[in-house]
Amino acid sequence: MRRCVGVAVLMVAWLFASGAGAEAQQEASQPSSVVRQPLDDAWWTGPMLAPSAATLPRGHFLIEPYLYDVIAVHSNGFGSLTYVNYGLLDRVTVGLIPTAGFNKLSRGPSGSGVGLGDLTPQTQYRLTKFHEGSWIPTTSVAVQETLPTGKYDRLGDRPSDGLGSGAYTTTLALYSQTYFWLPNDRILRMRFNVSQGLSNNVNVEDVSVYGTEAGFRGHAKPGSSFFVDASWEYSLTRRWVLALDATYRHNGNTRATGYNTLDANGVRNPSGLQLDSGSSEAFGFAPAIEYSWKPNLGVLVGARMIPATHNTHASITPAIAINFVH
């Protein structure tokens, strides 16, 4: 895992140096009549993890598909996630986040194929808007409702087919975004987002993502989730941006309660059962590089790194995304 993290860091550093070097040198050699970088001179795709506090203008839309691979010990979680947002009003953006994935295991059976994960509709309302010279950031509130469209129980002999939670999850979030001008007159954009997710009870049968086995009958209660994300984006040139997310997540205890209809020998012998995951914490960092061909079209390449902490396995997740706004 340490080797994977080192390789990912070196790859991102190499992209930073080689990708931005040529354009930075060209811009530095040309005299500029503007001392302070204007806002419209910086083209952004957004960092890897933090959603924007800004809303889309009425009638405009954003499409941003991600492809990623969650690399952990003995497993790869290949996945896709796509933001599809539409400006319903200047202050209101609505959207969908469909997901899909495939789990590959080095020990045990891998997934039977690519499957759909859970689907998340969302609505975002902008409260304030940043104006140059003012200390007030852009802020907005968002509501997401995750729909249990992904497979989560009755997984048979392939637990790796589980790509959903089976739960309806409501997430409330507060987003903020502001801009700073550094001593070299380049722009640093910062986002700070906080969210809280709550899930309902889930009926569970047989093998499931909650660790239950064949013959289980009962329900699960996913723990609440609290998430904080701070991000920084440095406008190295008009087209090239260096980005970094720093995150913290706390998941409450998830409890599955019920009974087994079969004992270890396959004989009917119902017995009570309770499984507790325990609470968990995860800290993460996600360096990335952004490149934009146009103000409304860009690509992001980065990697999220999560070290092993309380009830959390270490992982690294390289990802690539395309950002398109119209």
Side-chain angles (χ1 to χ4, degrees), residues 35 40-41 46 104 128 184 203 208 236 249 252 285 295 308 312 318:
V35 174
D40 59 4
D41 183 65
K104 181 180 179 181
T128 61
N184 63 353
N203 291 325
S208 75
L236 188 63
R249 182 185 297 276
F285 298 93
T312 298

Side-chain angles (χ1 to χ4, degrees), residues 201-202 210 219-223 252-257 274-278:
N201 289 333
V202 184
Y210 297 103
H219 64 273
K221 173 62 176 177
N253 176 59
T254 294
R255 173 169 293 177
T257 56
Q274 178 175 301
L275 301 174
D276 288 285
S277 68

Side-chain angles (χ1 to χ4, degrees), residues 17-160:
S18 62
E23 186 171 342
Q25 184 176 2
Q26 181 180 2
E27 289 193 2
S29 65
Q30 297 175 352
S32 174
S33 58
V34 180
V35 174
R36 179 165 163 161
Q37 183 186 15
L39 283 173
D40 59 4
D41 183 65
W43 296 350
W44 320 89
T45 69
M48 184 173 170
L49 302 175
S52 175
T55 50
L56 292 168
R58 181 177 181 179
H60 291 253
F61 65 85
L62 173 146
I63 299 177
E64 187 174 20
Y66 278 77
L67 294 175
Y68 57 87
D69 177 14
V70 183
I71 304 171
V73 178
H74 307 307
S75 70
N76 291 79
F78 300 101
S80 71
L81 175 153
T82 302
Y83 292 94
V84 182
N85 292 336
Y86 177 75
L88 187 64
L89 301 170
D90 286 344
R91 286 178 173 263
V92 179
T93 292
V94 296
L96 291 173
I97 308 175
T99 62
F102 168 73
N103 292 317
K104 181 180 179 181
L105 306 181
S106 60
R107 296 182 179 179
S110 299
S112 58
V114 176
L116 294 177
D118 292 340
L119 175 68
T120 304
Q122 63 177 355
T123 301
Q124 182 174 331
Y125 178 78
R126 178 166 53 80
L127 301 172
T128 61
K129 185 176 182 180
F130 173 85
H131 295 284
E132 190 172 347
S134 172
W135 62 270
I136 299 175
T138 298
T139 59
S140 64
V141 292
V143 179
Q144 298 179 340
E145 184 67 27
T146 300
L147 309 179
T149 54
K151 194 172 183 180
Y152 73 97
D153 70 347
R154 290 178 288 181
L155 301 176
D157 59 354
R158 291 186 181 269
S160 53

Side-chain angles (χ1 to χ4, degrees), residues 4 15 53 69 107 115 157 159 172 195 211 221-222 235-236 269 290 306 320:
C4 290
L15 285 170
D69 177 14
R107 296 182 179 179
D157 59 354
L172 302 178
S195 63
K221 173 62 176 177
S235 177
L236 188 63
N269 183 22
E290 309 168 21
I306 296 178
I320 184 170

